[in-house]
């Protein structure tokens, strides 16, 4: 795995490229276990503490989730497979997020926003709509729709 980042000084632009990052090391604070790899690239223009412009794309590979519980949805282990996550700046510090994953056990489509808090990232506000199609028993073929809405710190 490898992560390359470039910054201008004073901070005006952030560029990055990531190769085969271990998702389990990046998402250790989640209430469920996540395995897989992510690669991607991005370019963001910054003005002071504000993200002004930019976008990023992440390719997700072999995503596995263990002990995922949400309402009646309880999956001990599920293969979410491969897909992509796209992030684009809609306006200052407001990021659009799109997630598309397809795996042996679950397909995921999600859209929404993240309002970036530069002073405390964990206090950033997220509003994502999820559609999960579960392909394994006992939910074979069922679709679950839910929202993840609130401060990031509330979910970790």
């Amino acid at each position: 795995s490898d992560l390359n980042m470039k910054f201008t000084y004073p901070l005006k632009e952030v560029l990055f490229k990531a190769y085969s990052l271990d998702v389990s090391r990046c998402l250790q604070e989640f209430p469920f276990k996540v395995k897989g790899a992510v690669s991607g690239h991005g370019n963001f223009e910054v003005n002071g503490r504000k993200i002004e412009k930019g976008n990023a794309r992440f390719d997700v590979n072999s995503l596995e989730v263990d002990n995922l519980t949400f309402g009646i949805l309880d999956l001990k282990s599920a293969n979410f497979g491969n897909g992509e996550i796209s992030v684009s700046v809609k306006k200052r510090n407001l990021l659009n997020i799109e997630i598309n994953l397809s795996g042996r056990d679950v397909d995921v489509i999600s859209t929404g926003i993240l309002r970036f808090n530069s002073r405390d990232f964990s206090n950033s506000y997220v509003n994502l709509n999820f559609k999960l199609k579960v392909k394994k028993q006992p939910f074979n073929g069922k679709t679950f729709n839910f929202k993840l809405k609130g401060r990031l710190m509330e979910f970790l």
Side-chain angles (χ1 to χ4, degrees), residues 32-35 62-69 73-81 103-106 132-139:
F32 47 86
K33 294 185 187 232
V34 182
K35 296 179 272 187
S62 304
L63 188 67
E64 299 269 343
V65 177
D66 293 338
N67 302 318
L68 177 65
T69 302
L73 180 62
D74 187 6
L75 299 172
K76 299 291 181 226
S77 177
N79 177 296
F80 283 66
R104 180 183 66 243
D105 301 325
V106 180
L132 271 65
K133 181 177 181 184
V134 182
K135 303 175 189 176
K136 67 187 280 185
Q137 296 297 340
F139 305 107

Side-chain angles (χ1 to χ4, degrees), residues 3-9 11-17 42-44 46:
L3 175 63
N4 297 314
M5 297 187 78
K6 293 183 182 179
F7 302 89
T8 58
Y9 183 81
L11 188 59
K12 295 284 183 202
E13 187 172 34
V14 176
L15 298 125
F16 72 88
K17 288 186 180 181
N43 179 356
F44 293 97
V46 180

Side-chain angles (χ1 to χ4, degrees), residues 16-142:
F16 72 88
K17 288 186 180 181
Y19 304 95
S20 298
L21 296 180
D22 182 350
V23 174
S24 65
R25 295 184 73 200
C26 301
L27 304 176
Q28 292 178 349
E29 300 295 320
F30 274 30
F32 47 86
K33 294 185 187 232
V34 182
K35 296 179 272 187
V38 65
S39 299
H41 56 86
N43 179 356
F44 293 97
E45 291 180 22
V46 180
N47 184 359
R49 291 181 174 235
K50 312 245 187 281
I51 301 173
E52 298 283 346
K53 295 180 184 176
N55 58 63
R57 177 192 159 126
F58 300 94
D59 294 314
V60 179
N61 296 301
S62 304
L63 188 67
E64 299 269 343
V65 177
D66 293 338
N67 302 318
L68 177 65
T69 302
F70 190 85
I72 65 166
L73 180 62
D74 187 6
L75 299 172
K76 299 291 181 226
S77 177
N79 177 296
F80 283 66
N82 304 319
E84 71 177 44
I85 301 170
S86 299
V87 179
S88 60
V89 178
K90 185 173 182 175
K91 62 181 187 178
R92 183 180 294 158
N93 281 353
L94 184 64
L95 308 176
N96 274 339
I97 299 173
E98 293 183 20
I99 302 170
N100 288 294
L101 300 170
S102 183
R104 180 183 66 243
D105 301 325
V106 180
D107 291 340
V108 178
I109 297 173
S110 178
T111 59
I113 58 103
L114 173 83
R115 178 158 305 279
F116 178 72
N117 183 323
S118 62
R119 295 187 191 277
D120 180 4
F121 180 69
S122 68
N123 201 27
S124 295
Y125 178 80
V126 66
N127 185 352
L128 293 171
N129 296 306
F130 284 89
K131 181 178 181 180
L132 271 65
K133 181 177 181 184
V134 182
K135 303 175 189 176
K136 67 187 280 185
Q137 296 297 340
F139 305 107
N140 194 16
K142 299 276 188 223

